[in-house]
Amino acid sequence: MAKQTRNVFGPLIMAGMLALGVGIGNFMSGNGPVNKKLIATNNNEKIGQVLRLIEERYVDTINTSQVVEETIEEMLYDLDPHSDYIPARELSQSSEALDGSFQGIGVEFTIQRDTLIVINPVEGGPSEQAGVKPGDRIVFVEDSLIAGVDISNETVMNLLKGPANTEVKIQVKRRNFSEILPITITRGHIPINSIASAIRISKSSAYVKLVRFARTTMDEWNDAMTKVNVTQLDNLILDLRGNGGGYLTTAVDLADEFLGDRKMIVYTEGQAYDRETHKATSKGKLDDINLYILIDENSASASEVLAGAIQDHDRGTIIGRRSFGKGLVQEQKFFDDNSAIRLTIARYYTPTGRSIQKPYGDGIDYENDYAERYESGELLSADSISFPDSLKFTTPGGKVVYGGGGIMPDLFVGIDTLGASEYFSELNYNGLINRYAFQYADDNRDRLNDYDKYEFFIENFEVNSDLLEQFIQFAENNGVDKDEKGLMASKEIIKDRLKAYIARNIWKNDAFYTALLQDDKVYNATIKYIENQ
């Protein structure tokens, strides 16, 4: 996705002022050789000499490492929106999600009332094996008291994460136990799932939510297909909404599942990077299933590679809104200090020859694209989108598709404005719906578990007026005042979200997505489309 705005002139101004200052200082003082030249045979040497001069001669002590990092960042930022520099302190964290794991104790947690509470231990992970339970309050980590003090997520992660096979001792307060329970956990490799949910939604259809293209995605995919018993299905809905991408190789492998032998998936090309074509093999297992891919304005990169390949081969139906338009390929190189550079070396092109990358450069507010789409009406209606004939391409089946940035769906579904209000947005932004849902689930865990299966809960549980009023009071206590007009507009969506988050806190993601999909405009349009085929 797009990088944050930076002060692109800072390092240049600093260098310019430095050069001017050295000249004036020498001229006015009369000390030293005024016309002494720095000898540089090329620009690379010139940059190095400027940095050495700053380090050796600058009037004040400065952090030259910081100057170097900022200079690299600005240099890359001026190239394109996706070339980037990752400092060593950030590289490990930025890589974890795509590597598919991290090292730690394996708990999903929340911080409520200055107390760390376990939502769920990772299934099969170190904490579950050590006996940690949902709802446990972690009071001590080693000798550090973390309950009843002002603690942050970062502090918790620093205390609990650590190399595999190392031990950490915690003490927990558990409901219905009077004593604090000591637990020793041996850290391990904790999976970061790229498939958030895989659900059998009917006798003939399944739904899969894929949130990133990681190293572990294909292993997860095979497990998900077994879980939904894909060999008995006619239809598969693959939800890539909000999926910002990941590894190209993973997108190619997943596309291979659906495309016939030798079908082109994507090709990449750059001025110093020869064209490289990726094609499907004969190993795909899902060549005949009806495929429906859901995308939106936050589906990017590898998501667009997959959607573009499926669309260009008339292999499935793309549903939703135009995708982000990130079609630049980055190559990652590491420095000795464990920092890294991600440099754009090529562009993605779909099988028909469409460039995925949307325009960028002077005069284009790349980072404000969502607002521009909203203001133009594109997020509400396909009629607000126009493509010049020069961007028109035709698939083998005769379908007209367009380049110029992003993947335009076959079936457009605008954003759902029903229930929207500033009140709901503020509740969402502050995380209050999720926080209250966890509190409710934690206080009523035994009663909720009586539902046995989440399907029974979703069908029978009601967020009644009393529960809604308690939530509104909770929101007021946490800084969001009641808004009668906003509540009237958003009451039903607030109730739906409360129900979904309560379900998630008891039965995890499959329950959460099953509940959310009940009133999902794009999903319901997809179901209707399938039924009419």
Side-chain angles (χ1 to χ4, degrees):
M1 300 298 287
K3 297 177 290 190
Q4 292 182 347
T5 303
R6 301 190 180 103
N7 178 1
V8 298
F9 301 108
L12 299 180
I13 291 173
M14 180 188 295
M17 291 299 290
L18 173 63
L20 181 62
V22 169
I24 293 174
N26 279 336
F27 178 77
M28 293 181 66
S29 68
N31 297 324
V34 174
N35 296 317
K36 183 176 181 181
K37 292 183 179 180
L38 295 170
I39 300 173
T41 59
N42 57 55
N43 288 332
N44 293 338
E45 289 186 9
K46 187 180 293 186
I47 292 172
Q49 287 187 7
V50 169
L51 290 172
R52 283 195 296 274
L53 187 62
I54 292 172
E55 187 173 30
E56 295 171 2
R57 305 292 296 275
Y58 188 62
V59 62
D60 295 318
T61 301
I62 65 170
N63 185 337
T64 52
S65 295
Q66 183 177 344
V67 171
V68 170
E69 292 200 349
E70 289 178 353
T71 302
I72 295 172
E73 286 181 4
E74 305 309 336
M75 189 186 308
L76 294 173
Y77 186 81
D78 284 343
L79 296 177
D80 67 79
H82 298 290
S83 290
D84 203 4
Y85 171 75
I86 305 97
R89 62 185 179 275
E90 299 175 10
L91 182 61
S92 175
Q93 185 174 354
S94 70
S95 300
E96 283 177 351
L98 293 182
D99 288 339
S101 69
F102 66 94
Q103 297 178 57
I105 70 169
V107 291
E108 182 183 0
F109 67 86
T110 184
I111 297 175
Q112 301 266 16
R113 306 165 187 151
D114 291 330
T115 301
L116 187 153
I117 309 173
V118 176
I119 297 175
N120 277 300
V122 173
E123 187 173 351
S127 290
E128 184 183 64
Q129 293 175 4
V132 176
K133 303 291 185 184
D136 280 353
R137 274 74 170 158
I138 300 181
V139 180
F140 280 93
V141 177
E142 298 295 350
D143 296 326
S144 298
L145 175 67
I146 64 170
V149 297
D150 187 14
I151 191 168
S152 66
N153 285 339
E154 183 179 2
T155 301
V156 171
M157 298 301 285
N158 289 337
L159 288 170
L160 297 180
K161 290 176 70 174
N165 300 317
T166 60
E167 288 187 347
V168 59
K169 296 178 181 179
I170 66 172
Q171 297 180 48
V172 305
K173 177 70 177 72
R174 182 170 297 166
R175 189 180 302 278
N176 299 325
F177 280 77
S178 58
E179 298 180 356
I180 301 294
L181 304 177
I183 300 176
T184 300
I185 305 169
T186 301
R187 297 182 178 98
H189 291 275
I190 312 303
I192 301 176
N193 292 329
S194 56
I195 294 181
S197 182
I199 311 166
R200 186 75 172 262
I201 56 177
S202 72
K203 184 177 179 180
S204 60
S205 302
Y207 167 90
V208 175
K209 177 69 175 179
L210 179 64
V211 296
R212 67 183 66 86
F213 291 81
R215 295 189 193 278
T216 59
T217 295
M218 291 312 299
D219 289 336
E220 294 179 50
W221 178 264
N222 293 330
D223 291 342
M225 293 302 97
T226 299
K227 177 182 174 182
V228 300
N229 205 347
V230 71
T231 57
Q232 296 181 0
L233 299 179
D234 297 322
N235 309 301
L236 181 63
I237 301 173
L238 176 57
D239 192 347
L240 300 181
R241 290 175 294 174
N243 184 324
Y247 291 119
L248 172 62
T249 52
T250 304
V252 169
D253 288 342
L254 188 51
D256 195 0
E257 290 289 289
F258 303 102
L259 296 174
D261 191 24
R262 307 303 298 167
K263 295 281 189 182
M264 183 190 294
I265 295 171
V266 67
Y267 68 90
T268 57
E269 196 169 22
Q271 68 89 16
Y273 186 84
D274 292 338
R275 176 167 170 165
E276 183 175 350
T277 301
H278 300 268
K279 294 184 177 181
T281 67
S282 59
K283 68 179 182 181
K285 304 180 183 70
L286 302 172
D287 290 356
D288 299 322
I289 198 167
N290 298 320
L291 178 63
Y292 306 88
I293 295 181
L294 312 187
I295 62 172
D296 66 8
E297 54 282 347
N298 294 312
S299 305
S301 190
S303 291
E304 297 172 295
V305 168
L306 175 58
I310 296 301
Q311 187 177 56
D312 279 12
H313 287 295
D314 304 295
R315 174 60 188 85
T317 305
I318 313 300
I319 302 172
R321 296 182 293 281
R322 182 167 66 95
S323 61
F324 181 84
K326 195 270 188 185
L328 299 176
V329 184
Q330 281 73 50
E331 180 181 57
Q332 182 163 287
K333 296 289 187 180
F334 297 93
F335 293 104
D336 290 343
D337 64 353
N338 293 321
S339 62
I341 181 176
R342 290 175 183 162
L343 182 68
T344 296
I345 59 170
R347 285 181 168 83
Y348 293 122
Y349 296 89
T350 71
T352 60
R354 293 184 287 164
S355 172
I356 293 172
Q357 180 62 41
K358 64 186 178 183
Y360 61 89
D362 292 341
I364 297 174
D365 192 352
Y366 192 86
E367 296 169 356
N368 201 34
D369 182 64
Y370 180 88
E372 290 186 358
R373 293 193 195 194
Y374 184 84
E375 290 170 3
S376 71
E378 176 183 333
L379 298 180
L380 298 170
S381 171
D383 295 337
S384 300
I385 309 170
S386 60
F387 295 97
D389 288 342
S390 61
L391 298 176
K392 184 184 295 185
F393 296 80
T394 305
T395 69
K399 179 171 58 182
V400 174
V401 293
Y402 291 93
I407 302 298
M408 186 67 187
D410 303 309
L411 174 62
F412 180 90
V413 183
I415 59 173
D416 191 355
T417 58
L418 185 65
S421 70
E422 290 186 11
Y423 180 58
F424 174 69
S425 296
E426 194 170 0
L427 293 172
N428 235 9
Y429 178 79
N430 287 283
L432 295 177
I433 298 177
N434 188 18
R435 285 172 57 190
Y436 181 77
F438 174 80
Q439 180 178 308
Y440 180 88
D442 191 49
D443 290 342
N444 296 275
R445 194 173 297 275
D446 293 339
R447 184 170 66 84
L448 292 170
N449 279 320
D450 288 341
Y451 280 98
D452 188 29
K453 295 183 178 180
Y454 70 77
E455 292 90 347
F456 297 156
F457 169 84
I458 293 169
E459 183 178 349
N460 296 295
F461 183 85
E462 178 188 1
V463 177
N464 57 31
S465 57
D466 288 342
L467 178 52
L468 181 63
E469 190 57 42
Q470 291 168 20
F471 166 68
I472 293 168
Q473 185 60 56
F474 171 85
E476 287 187 332
N477 293 342
N478 286 275
V480 179
D481 293 334
K482 183 178 181 180
D483 176 352
E484 291 288 358
K485 185 177 180 180
L487 180 59
M488 183 177 297
S490 303
K491 179 186 294 186
E492 294 307 316
I493 192 171
I494 292 171
K495 291 167 66 174
D496 289 344
R497 292 295 174 88
L498 281 170
K499 185 174 180 176
Y501 278 111
I502 291 170
R504 181 181 183 273
N505 285 305
I506 299 295
W507 295 281
K508 304 183 183 179
N509 274 350
D510 282 354
F512 176 70
Y513 284 103
T514 299
L516 278 187
L517 291 174
Q518 308 301 304
D519 295 303
D520 186 314
K521 186 178 179 180
V522 177
Y523 172 80
N524 286 326
T526 303
I527 296 299
K528 185 176 180 180
Y529 183 85
I530 293 172
E531 292 171 348
N532 290 333
Q533 296 303 297

